[in-house]
Amino acid sequence: MNLYSGSVNKNSGSTKGVKFALTLEVHDQKRSVMGSICMWHFILPLTIVVVATLGDDTTDSYWLLRIKSELVDPSGALSNWSPTTHICSWNGLTCEVDQTHVVGLNLSGSGISGSISGEFSHLISLQALDLSSNSLTGSIPSELGQLQNLRILLLYSNYLAREIPIEIGNLSKLQVLRLGDNMLAGEIPPSIGNLSELTVLGVANCNLNGSIPAEVGNLKRLVSLDLQVNYLSGLIPEEIQRCQELQIFAASNNMLEGEIPSSMGSLKSLSILNLANNTLSGSIPTSLSLLSNLTYFNLLGNKLNGEIPSELNSLSQLQKLDLSRNNLSGSLTLLNVKLQNLETMVLSDNALTGIPYNFCLRGSKLQQLFLARNKLSGRFPLGLLNCSSIQQVDLSDNSFEGELPSSLDKLQNLTDLMLNNNSFTGSLPPAIGNISSLRSLFLFGNSLTGKLPVEIGKLKRLNTIYLYDNQMSGPIPRELTNCTSLTGIDFFGNHFYGPIPETIGKLKDLTVLHLRQNDLSGPIPTSMGYCKRLQLLALADNKLSGSIPPTFSYLSKLSTITLYNNSFEGPLPDSLSLLRNLKIINFSNNKFSGSIFPLTGSNSLTVLDLTNNSFSGSIPSILANSRDLTRLRLANNYLTGTIPSELGHLTELNFLDLSFNNFTGHVPPQLSNCKKIEHLLLKNNRLSGEMLPWLGSFQELGELDLSFNNFHGRVPAELGGCSKLLKLSLHHNNLSGEIPLEIGNLTSLNVFNLQSNSLSGIIPSTIQKCSKLYELRLSENFLSGIIPAGLGGVTELQVILDLSRNHFSGEIPSSLGNLMKLERLDLSFNHLQGKLPPSLGQLTSLHVLNLSNNHLHGLIPSTFSGFPLSSFLNNDHLCGPPLASCSEATRIELSDSQVVAIIVAIVLTSTLICLVLLYIMLRIWCNWIKVAVSSEDGGMAEQKTRNGEYWNINSPELFPSPDKQISATTCICNIKIDAAARENTLVR
């Protein structure tokens, strides 16, 4: 009985999957003697079969009908499974020669669902069961292990779950087991090693884990082992070397580790070895060169290192070799001259350093060579020019340099040339035009110069030419438009100049035209509108001018158009509204004028950027039909009217910039529906109304700029809920009230600008929580109180700290000296007093300082001497450079107790001086009296003697001579007056 020949019964259901048939042995029939006897021989067996079919639980039909009852059959594949028909006519069944038992069941791809019944175990004659490619769920029933005659079990491509039952190992006659593409779990049961007749084992993509069981080595007849796309880990078992008939071993996309067993070199029959995308390490075993029948060898995506063994050159049957994405190093030792059947060599993403000059010789069959992202250097490897059969060459992302060979046209079969991201120089050789089969030319990311040769126009099959990021120049040759198969042109970032070829419209299949960042000039050719398959048009960053041609209305497939940074002008053609597939429009930095309505024909817009033009009129409310719009930028135009409330339907919007226009009225509250907004910029308009408390619900908001408008009211405390806010600019409005404490919740804030409002109160202490601030502007308000010391903890402040033109008082906190990154500090026009903290001298990054118009005094830190005089003017007693020098007294720094002591000393000293002066005056008076008395007694005599003392009348002494003794009778003025003198004095 041959299970692989013949065909399924003509009445069986699906013919997909593996087809099974049983060859019936035909025996000679004896001629019947009597017609009546023949009739009885026919009727009797038929009667028995019918009876059995209707209810005998020993028959296959009974169990099959029970199996059917557990299945869902929407397509009617089991519709003729009925007691009224013979079992052997049922769809998908194959019977034995006696037509009493089923030996084959094939329902592959029949669309059935439900679970696999354990009742299958009663089909004791079943040899082949194929339920693949259906929607079966549940587990694989362990009862299948009772089908002792089963040779083929195909359950792949279903939704089966749970573990593989160990009872599968009881199927001693099983030859083919395929369970792949299911949702199984657990490990491969070691009992699988009991299937000594097994030739095919396929459990790919089954979510299996654990290791490859060593018992696999018991499968001596195994031909194909497919373990791909699971979570298998551990080592590749050495026991696999015992599977000497193995031809296919595929275990890619697992987590296998360790080294590749060198014993695998003994698998002489192996033709396919795929161990890609694991974590295998070590070097490639040289023993693998003994696999003489190997045709497919794939080790990509592992951690293999070392050099590629030159012994692999002996794999004469090898057709495809992929060793990419490893850590292989050294020079390439594989020679295509020896690997004569090799068609594909993929060695990308390694650390290879060289290509031998004799890599290719005549007779090579090599068609694909991929060496991208290695460490190859030097000039273009001329040995490749001998690979006459080669079709695809990828040497990208290496370090090649020098000019491209002029004989590139030796590669007459070349279809794809990828030399991008190297350091090639010079011009593109004209010989490139002789490679008539060339379809893709990737030369971007080099240093090529010169003009694009006109010979390029000979490449009739060319469909992609990418030359971006080079230094090529000259005009774009008109001949390029002869390459009528072109679908993609990318010349971004070169120096091409002159006009876009007028014949560009000949490229009917063009889908991508990227000419951004060149020096192109002139208008857009009218014929460009005939490139009707164009999807991306990028002409930005050039010197183009003129208007958009009306023929653009034919570009119905256009999805992206970028014309920014040119000199286009004039109104937009109304026909642009016919472009219903537009998604990205960027016309910024041009001179367009008129209405923006022609750009609203598409309901698929995701980006609309018209910044810096001269558009006028209002925003069309129909723009809100583009519900996927994420960026709307209309800044720096002459747009008027109110902001349409319909914009509130744009729930995907994350960037809204309407700045520098003439919008009026209130911001529509419907914008509160746009919860994904990250940037909201409405500055420099004439918007009014109270500040918007609903902004606090914008959890993604990172930038809010409503400055230079007419908003009034308080700063909403709700803004503290915008935890991702980086920039908050509300300056130049009419806001009043206090700065809310909730500002401290904005811990990511970088820029905080409230200047030129009418805010009052103090700076909230919570502002110190905004530790990432690098710009703080609160000037031109009515803020008061002291400058909080906590500002010194905001050490990221760098651009400016501006508190000028407020009513701050008290001293400058010394903690401001911690702002080491600060570049500008303005505290002018306040009521600050006291001395400058010496710690401010630490602000070495400061280059703008203004402390003028306060009540500060004391010495200016020496590090501030380089600032202009205006930085310190109109204070009380500041001194030191650049102001006048301080006196020594001013320089002396005294404590309070020292000041008190000095004052007391001054008072005491002054009192003593007064007493001394009083004493002197009294002496002078006494002396005057004495002289007067002497004049009465002696006339003009020069000397008088009284009690032994002599007084010089002409030169009176205030004090007696030291050698004279003062009489005890002398008065305090040292004058002794007798009774006669007193009388004379009294008389006078």
Side-chain angles (χ1 to χ4, degrees), residues 46 108 120 152 433 495 661 690 772 776 796 922 962:
L46 180 59
S108 177
F120 274 107
I152 298 175
H495 303 290
N661 281 286
E690 291 194 355
K772 297 181 181 179
L776 177 59
E796 293 300 314
L922 286 174

Side-chain angles (χ1 to χ4, degrees), residues 240-286:
I240 202 169
Q241 65 178 307
R242 301 204 299 261
C243 304
Q244 287 297 305
E245 296 185 16
L246 194 62
Q247 299 177 19
I248 300 173
F249 180 31
S252 64
N253 295 285
N254 280 285
M255 297 184 292
L256 300 173
E257 56 190 4
E259 297 186 356
I260 300 173
S262 59
S263 58
M264 289 186 66
S266 63
L267 301 176
K268 306 296 185 181
S269 300
L270 203 62
S271 63
I272 295 176
L273 177 58
N274 187 357
L275 302 177
N277 294 320
N278 282 282
T279 55
L280 299 171
S281 57
S283 59
I284 299 174
T286 57

